[in-house]
Amino acid sequence: MSEPEITDLTEAEARAELKRLANVLARANEDYHGKDAPQISDAEYDALKRRNAKIESRFPALKRSDSPSDQVGAKPSETFSKITHAVAMLSLGNAFSDEDVEDFLQRNRKYLGLSDQDPIPVTAEPKIDGLSLSLRYVGGQLEHAATRGDGTTGENVTANARTIDDIPQSLTNAPELLEVRGEVYMSHADFAALNERQAASAGKLFANPRNAAAGSLRQLDAGITRSRPLRFFAYAWGALSEPLADTQSGAIARLSALGFQTNPLTKLCEDAAQLIAHYRDIEARRATLGYDIDGVVYKVDSLALQERLGFRSTTPRWAIAHKFPAELAWTRLEAIDIQVGRTGALSPVARLTPVTVGGVVVSNATLHNEDYIAGQDSKGQTIREGKDIRPGDWVQVYRAGDVIPKISDVDLARRPSGTSPYSFPHRCPQCDSEALREEGDAVRRCTGGLICPAQAVEKLKHFVSRGAFDIEGLGAKQVEQFYTDEWIREPADIFRLRENYESGIRQLRNREGWGDKSAANLFDAIDDKRTIPLARLLFSLGIRHVGEAASNLIAFHYGTWDALIAAVTAAKDLSGPEWDDLNAVDGIGSVMAGSLVTAFSQPAERASVDRLVEQLTVLPAERPAADDSPVAGLTVVFTGTLERMTRAEAKARAEKLGAKVAGSVSAKTDILIAGPGAGSKAKKAADLGVRTVDEQEWLDLIGSA
DNA sequence: TATCCTCGAGTTCC
DNA sequence: CTCGAGGATA
């Protein structure tokens, strides 16, 4: 490459180079968004952008106001299509101690109604530190490969997966439909060799094997992926046309027989002691394995038991990851900054002298809240032996769950003299409003409401975020810019951008990186979201305590926006039939209900919401088409002793079949399932004329296998 | 009233 | 990914 090395640039040269890059990239954007054919390739474009970012990081003071790094409407980097997983790819719960492993087994015994001594065979295998991949085979042929993504939808990386030797293109004697799941990773030796090659060709160095594997798999050019030495271990499956086996270990053996690599350290254990012994064994061999692992995964061996145990909201009950202790590093705490969230929460963030922890450079860490800095946990218990955290201190950093940097210890011997404990601000650093901490709360909150620019912007960011309106091309950065420019002050303004622009009130075109074309794209993306499901709208409003799950419950309960508004308005005194009705919704308590009602009774907030809804079409919430199970849509109550299954299991299974499980009998109850020893509930059911069945009748009714 | 579970809100780095 | 807190349950 003819371009000079960045390290050799003088300041003046760097300034000129940044200007040149800004021009070249701006032209490339125009070409892309306009009708002209692009003059440079994707790869060249990305290389220029990277070069620009590198120079900026070396000379931060020279960063241009129209820096291409901040550009809106730039070429979308995502060009992988999306694939929705037939069976969701979930994450695992974690165990950090031997005791947690015992708890895992005990919890499962309890859920299954087994006695404390009953054996539950469990497999143990190394947890590979790579990225998970789902491979779909139809008729024995590899149909597609998808990354995990958010667990529901991943990226289609089929062409790249086909270049990996460990991934068979076709299978013999496989089920007609088979989704194989496993981990793509890179060995230590291959990682070192790759970085050497990268260095020789002045390419980007990877921080660790996992990043190298991720970067290699997500190449737009499969030819590059082919040149990277990726490997694959199979350890699970998704959709299947027929079972692979009746145990976890049997299924893994079957995957191995089909031609997949499976981990040789997978072992079937009989009890917690064996699991822990195998964990220690794997831990001892960790350094010599030749690839990164970050723990050991335990899975209940019997697939029948796995089926019975089922899932919690995001994790299976029948599996857990036993993590190795986190890597630690010492560094200096340079400063404590305060961030203001959308609810006004003041969050302290540690600014650190950059330090490598577990393969990545960390320069920020969360400090949670006031008490955490002082050395107390949420229950007022002393942590870090009471050592408080002060700017200037040497602190020990680790990455919780190998992700979020946290501070675990302070070296008092190296504390500079003359420091005093950090005093947490009692006023908002952004708007100077009073910041109050409510009795019993861990967080201190800015009371400025929408007066506070930080809260206003964070609320808008939430509004356009993924689970909310999810407007393409309008992310956090753009929202901040639009807010600063006073184009968007409240959600309703987003839906007025087009008219304001077209009527000439606002001029996007004067800003670098925007043309009529990119503006039109943005407005189209906004118009796409003018029709919105009720639950999403509610979630988008960012009402405290009302998140995604609560929004769904509330939306289903009321059905339409008008019904919701009418009821919530009528409940404004936190009493009356509408208030009671809202509190009776399963999963909604007085705090959530109060937050919802209060939000709509503040005149200013209510007016703002009305201005927004005026411009939208709100889709009514419909219960997911209750499957054709005989109990779908019915409200049932369990009482007495259940003999064939535990309470928790019965509840989970009934809910899976579309029934609603309530705690007490009322006129709304459709069926009471009464086991031996049923008391007052059975009597009440009889009084109300509610249909009562015993456990066996219930199982017959739901056609339990 | 204590305990378990789930959700909400906050966070980092690539 | 984690913590804290709300809600349901025993």
Side-chain angles (χ1 to χ4, degrees):
Chain A
M1 213 177 263
S2 63
E3 287 161 335
E5 286 296 317
I6 290 165
T7 43
D8 295 337
L9 291 176
T10 65
E11 197 168 309
E13 284 166 345
R15 180 174 294 135
E17 178 72 347
L18 285 175
K19 183 174 177 190
R20 182 183 74 89
L21 288 168
N23 286 333
V24 173
L25 287 166
R27 196 164 347 111
N29 279 338
E30 264 175 43
D31 288 349
Y32 179 78
H33 290 286
K35 296 216 170 64
D36 298 335
Q39 302 295 307
I40 62 173
S41 72
D42 284 5
E44 284 168 312
Y45 178 92
D46 289 336
L48 290 174
K49 225 167 159 161
R50 276 200 303 275
R51 180 172 170 79
N52 182 72
K54 269 191 192 158
I55 298 176
E56 283 177 351
S57 72
R58 192 166 165 78
F59 299 99
L62 298 183
K63 186 170 172 183
R64 298 166 61 88
S65 59
D66 64 351
S67 163
S69 321
D70 301 340
Q71 219 86 127
V72 185
K75 193 180 286 197
S77 61
E78 273 187 69
T79 31
F80 292 109
S81 59
K82 300 274 180 245
I83 288 182
T84 300
H85 301 299
V87 175
M89 294 179 80
L90 297 160
S91 49
L92 295 177
N94 292 319
F96 296 101
S97 65
D98 296 354
E99 201 190 346
D100 290 347
V101 178
E102 281 284 3
D103 285 351
F104 164 69
L105 291 177
Q106 208 49 43
R107 226 178 17 245
N108 282 343
R109 286 199 189 93
K110 195 173 159 197
Y111 190 90
L112 294 166
L114 302 176
S115 90
D116 289 0
Q117 310 310 325
D118 285 333
I120 304 184
V122 171
T123 63
E125 69 196 285
K127 185 172 194 296
I128 314 298
D129 193 12
L131 62 155
S132 12
L133 191 67
S134 181
L135 308 169
R136 186 181 171 93
Y137 291 88
V138 177
Q141 299 300 311
L142 177 61
E143 188 185 78
H144 70 226
T147 60
R148 179 173 178 280
D150 62 5
T152 307
T153 306
E155 286 179 325
N156 182 345
V157 291
T158 312
N160 298 343
R162 286 188 197 282
T163 70
I164 299 175
D165 289 344
D166 287 347
I167 296 179
Q169 301 280 335
S170 60
L171 308 172
T172 45
N173 296 325
E176 174 60 23
L177 169 65
L178 170 62
E179 281 184 8
V180 175
R181 284 164 183 187
E183 202 83 352
V184 173
Y185 68 101
M186 193 180 284
S187 75
H188 290 156
D190 288 337
F191 167 69
L194 171 62
N195 257 359
E196 247 168 60
R197 271 191 288 153
Q198 291 289 101
S201 62
K204 182 184 154 219
L205 292 186
F206 294 102
N208 54 49
R210 183 182 42 191
N211 286 356
S216 301
L217 188 68
R218 297 184 69 260
Q219 288 291 329
L220 293 175
D221 177 355
I224 297 178
T225 307
R226 186 183 302 280
S227 73
R228 303 278 174 81
L230 294 174
R231 304 180 185 214
F232 181 80
F233 273 130
Y235 56 68
W237 56 91
L240 289 172
S241 55
E242 60 188 84
L244 290 170
D246 50 18
T247 59
Q248 177 74 30
S249 47
I252 297 302
R254 179 82 199 281
L255 289 176
S256 175
L258 283 168
F260 291 94
Q261 300 298 316
T262 57
N263 197 285
L265 294 177
T266 307
K267 187 182 170 192
L268 182 57
C269 298
E270 294 300 323
D271 55 29
Q274 282 187 26
L275 287 175
I276 289 164
H278 193 50
Y279 171 88
R280 300 259 182 273
D281 184 32
I282 291 174
E283 192 178 25
R285 300 186 196 203
R286 188 177 180 186
T288 58
L289 285 178
Y291 48 85
D292 279 348
I293 60 175
D294 56 358
V296 178
V297 177
Y298 305 138
K299 293 173 183 165
V300 170
D301 194 45
S302 157
L303 300 189
L305 290 187
Q306 285 190 9
E307 173 94 2
R308 280 181 63 193
L309 287 163
F311 299 87
R312 301 208 296 220
S313 66
T314 58
T315 60
R317 286 195 187 82
W318 44 265
I320 197 165
H322 191 174
K323 294 299 205 57
F324 293 134
E327 197 180 304
L328 303 168
W330 285 92
T331 188
R332 232 170 74 92
L333 174 61
E334 294 177 349
I336 295 177
D337 283 354
I338 301 287
Q339 292 183 355
V340 183
R342 94 179 136 85
T343 62
L346 303 191
S347 308
V349 181
R351 304 298 178 199
L352 306 166
T353 305
V355 62
T356 301
V357 196
V360 278
V361 178
V362 166
S363 42
N364 302 302
T366 174
L367 288 169
H368 295 296
N369 56 49
E370 210 166 336
D371 289 347
Y372 190 84
I373 297 174
Q376 308 221 300
D377 73 6
S378 60
K379 286 152 205 125
Q381 298 290 306
T382 299
I383 51 172
R384 296 188 305 270
E385 292 117 49
K387 297 179 216 173
D388 65 323
I389 300 174
R390 306 179 184 183
D393 273 340
W394 282 87
V395 292
Q396 187 186 53
V397 182
Y398 72 103
R399 296 204 307 149
D402 272 338
V403 179
I404 311 288
K406 294 183 59 169
I407 288 175
S408 42
D409 202 0
V410 175
D411 187 349
L412 292 182
R414 285 202 273 180
R415 170 168 287 175
S417 59
T419 60
S420 48
Y422 176 74
S423 84
F424 202 92
H426 286 205
R427 303 202 78 88
C428 172
Q430 298 286 323
C431 70
D432 203 40
S433 299
E434 197 176 0
L436 290 177
R437 188 172 164 188
E438 272 173 55
E439 184 75 27
D441 257 9
V443 295
R444 187 172 286 280
R445 289 194 153 80
C446 161
T447 55
L450 292 180
I451 308 285
C452 177
Q455 285 191 54
V457 171
E458 293 305 313
K459 259 194 129 144
L460 284 165
K461 283 187 194 167
H462 171 79
F463 185 85
V464 301
S465 69
R466 208 171 52 184
F469 270 73
D470 193 18
I471 295 167
E472 213 173 302
L474 191 59
K477 222 162 210 167
Q478 292 79 280
V479 165
E480 243 162 55
Q481 188 61 57
F482 283 133
Y483 185 87
T484 313
D485 295 350
E486 298 186 22
W487 291 15
I488 298 180
R489 290 269 123 158
E490 60 169 18
D493 294 335
I494 292 171
F495 295 93
R496 293 199 204 95
L497 277 178
R498 184 195 285 276
E499 54 181 289
N500 285 340
Y501 179 79
E502 286 173 354
S503 66
I505 297 174
R506 304 297 192 199
Q507 287 291 314
L508 272 175
R509 58 163 66 232
N510 291 338
R511 192 163 335 135
E512 201 72 45
W514 284 91
D516 282 344
K517 179 81 180 173
S518 51
N521 284 345
L522 176 62
F523 301 148
D524 288 347
I526 291 171
D527 285 345
D528 277 350
K529 301 296 160 80
R530 277 186 200 267
T531 300
I532 191 99
L534 178 59
R536 253 179 194 264
L537 169 63
L538 188 57
F539 172 65
S540 305
L541 299 178
I543 296 165
R544 185 129 96 95
H545 300 132
V546 182
E548 217 158 5
S551 296
N552 273 311
L553 293 174
I554 295 167
F556 283 139
H557 183 69
Y558 291 112
T560 65
W561 175 254
D562 291 340
L564 187 156
I565 277 293
V568 166
T569 307
K572 70 176 188 313
D573 297 325
L574 308 188
S575 63
E578 286 84 2
W579 171 254
D580 294 339
D581 176 62
L582 176 56
N583 277 274
V585 177
D586 194 15
I588 305 294
S590 58
V591 174
M592 288 180 174
S595 185
L596 180 72
V597 169
T598 312
F600 287 111
S601 58
Q602 312 273 0
E605 279 201 57
R606 175 60 192 275
S608 171
V609 170
D610 287 344
R611 283 193 290 275
L612 169 68
V613 173
E614 220 163 72
Q615 308 184 65
L616 304 175
T617 306
V618 183
L619 298 173
E622 282 164 42
R623 290 213 164 265
D627 42 15
D628 43 9
S629 95
V631 296
L634 300 186
T635 298
V636 303
V637 176
F638 292 95
T639 188
T641 313
L642 300 175
E643 290 163 332
R644 300 271 302 274
M645 52 193 172
T646 65
R647 202 53 84 81
E649 194 179 353
K651 180 167 191 246
R653 210 190 298 179
E655 279 171 350
K656 201 170 164 189
L657 292 168
K660 199 178 155 217
V661 179
S664 59
V665 176
S666 75
K668 286 183 185 169
T669 309
D670 295 298
I671 304 177
L672 176 76
I673 298 94
S680 62
K681 284 183 189 170
K683 185 170 181 303
K684 188 167 182 195
D687 292 347
L688 290 166
V690 170
R691 179 180 173 197
T692 303
V693 301
D694 67 19
E695 188 178 0
Q696 185 56 52
E697 287 171 315
W698 167 252
L699 290 174
D700 292 344
L701 182 63
I702 62 177
S704 161

